[in-house]
Amino acid sequence: MKARRQVFVPLLLCAVVLGAVLLLHTLGRQGQLDFIQRLEWMTFDWRVRQATNAPSQNATNLGFVFISNDSIDDLSSGSLGFTADLYWPRFVYGRVAEELKTQGAQAVAFDILFPGLRRDHTQMPDGAPGTPDEYFARALRDSGNVILGAQPEAPPHLLFRTNAWAIGNISAVRDSDGILRRVRAFQDYVIWHPMILEAARRFDGFTYETNHLVFTSEKGTQTVIPIGPFGQYDAGRLLELGARRALPAGAQRVARAFTRQRVWDLGIVLAAHTLNLDLDAAIVRPGREILLHGAGGLE
């Protein structure tokens, strides 16, 4: 009897401790008791501070061009030959890309979103043909080394995306205390057809199921647009909704509703350009590692 009690007591203690840990973990996930999570964050921050004291190599081939208040004032004052407000015309970024290319930059990464065209900027300040958006797209194409920032809900417009060398994810989710501690190496994007995005802006969004889209008007009327087994949809239905008056030049009435694309973190894409790494051939081992390969057996 005594032997049984000696075995039973440790088992009971283990069960109580295990139950308490599970209870705390559950409450923490529900936001009711998060001091264990906060303790982990404190130790994480401490470890990061300690790591900064360790000797490390610093890159000598990185530069940073930033938009300051002085930059904004210079453009708004007209001292550069033209005037621009806070939301600069796209040709400004095009000239930046051209200048950096001329100075020998191997790659240029914009930590800026370009999700749509600027219909309020239709002319170049010097009277040159084309729009500022078109100038920026040409600069992207001619430079051949520009990486554009993207977020899942705001990828670069098709005009810019198809002329840039690549896009890089700049979205990040901060912890509940407002500190960014970890960044995802990549995200899988669903990139919608430009006409669907345009209609979404007019109808304040849409809902998506596996085989159809639903647009809801201000009066509550719903319009269902089917998506075929190969992802195609009838863009003409958006014209019937009044999303626009005509199909864009060169656009097909039947088109793919969306494409899927793996978008790597902007910093990883920048490094991959410099190291000539093949991100499309990356080997992802969840919870363990990501293996990237480059020329000459680089791994």
Side-chain angles (χ1 to χ4, degrees):
M1 189 71 177
K2 187 182 249 185
R4 285 185 180 177
R5 186 176 300 172
Q6 289 175 347
V7 173
F8 177 75
V9 171
L11 290 176
L12 179 62
L13 290 175
C14 289
V16 170
V17 171
L18 181 60
V21 170
L22 290 175
L23 176 62
L24 292 173
H25 180 69
T26 301
L27 293 175
R29 289 175 64 89
Q30 296 175 350
Q32 299 176 12
L33 192 64
D34 62 352
F35 70 87
I36 293 181
Q37 182 64 73
R38 291 187 176 275
L39 179 62
E40 160 61 16
W41 290 342
M42 291 171 61
T43 61
F44 182 92
D45 296 342
W46 178 83
R47 283 176 280 159
V48 170
R49 286 194 294 269
Q50 294 302 309
T52 60
N53 298 325
S56 62
Q57 294 182 342
N58 295 320
T60 59
N61 61 342
L62 293 177
F64 182 57
V65 180
F66 64 97
I67 300 173
S68 65
N69 289 332
D70 291 337
S71 306
I72 296 172
D73 291 341
D74 286 340
L75 265 71
S76 62
S77 68
S79 62
L80 299 178
F82 61 92
T83 302
D85 58 14
L86 179 60
Y87 298 102
W88 294 347
R90 300 283 170 63
F91 72 84
V92 175
Y93 303 107
R95 291 180 178 176
V96 170
E98 292 172 338
E99 179 62 26
L100 293 176
K101 177 70 173 182
T102 301
Q103 294 190 26
Q106 290 183 333
V108 177
F110 279 96
D111 190 12
I112 301 173
L113 296 173
F114 301 100
L117 300 180
R118 292 295 302 272
R119 306 197 184 280
D120 54 335
H121 294 157
T122 58
Q123 294 182 337
M124 296 290 293
D126 57 359
T131 67
D133 284 336
E134 292 169 344
Y135 185 100
F136 183 42
R138 287 195 301 270
L140 295 175
R141 181 194 62 210
D142 295 342
S143 298
N145 65 349
V146 178
I147 305 162
L148 297 181
Q151 292 181 350
E153 68 280 3
H157 188 274
L158 182 65
L159 177 63
F160 308 134
R161 194 167 68 245
T162 53
N163 283 284
W165 183 77
I167 64 175
N169 183 53
I170 61 174
S171 64
V173 179
R174 299 177 184 271
D175 292 325
S176 60
D177 61 352
I179 297 177
L180 177 64
R181 293 183 174 86
R182 295 175 176 85
V183 177
R184 298 186 62 167
F186 61 84
Q187 290 199 48
D188 292 323
Y189 280 33
V190 174
I191 300 179
W192 293 97
H193 188 274
M195 284 189 62
I196 293 178
L197 293 179
E198 183 178 349
R201 287 189 289 270
R202 291 174 177 267
F203 288 89
D204 194 22
F206 62 92
T207 58
Y208 164 63
E209 300 294 339
T210 55
N211 59 356
H212 65 269
L213 306 173
V214 178
F215 289 89
T216 304
S217 67
E218 294 181 353
K219 298 180 180 179
T221 303
Q222 291 188 335
T223 301
V224 178
I225 298 181
I227 297 178
F230 300 102
Q232 73 276 17
Y233 84 107
D234 183 359
R237 291 294 307 278
L238 296 180
L239 304 181
E240 298 171 7
L241 280 174
R244 60 181 300 140
R245 295 180 179 177
L247 287 171
Q252 297 180 348
R253 183 179 176 101
V254 177
R256 288 186 62 86
F258 60 86
T259 58
R260 296 186 183 275
Q261 180 178 350
R262 173 162 292 179
V263 180
W264 293 82
D265 176 77
L266 185 69
I268 293 179
V269 179
L270 189 61
H273 185 283
T274 301
L275 298 174
N276 196 25
L277 299 174
D278 186 0
L279 293 177
D280 292 334
I283 299 175
V284 179
R285 296 167 179 160
R288 294 176 55 194
E289 62 187 7
I290 297 173
L291 199 58
L292 303 175
H293 293 91
L298 179 64
E299 184 175 285

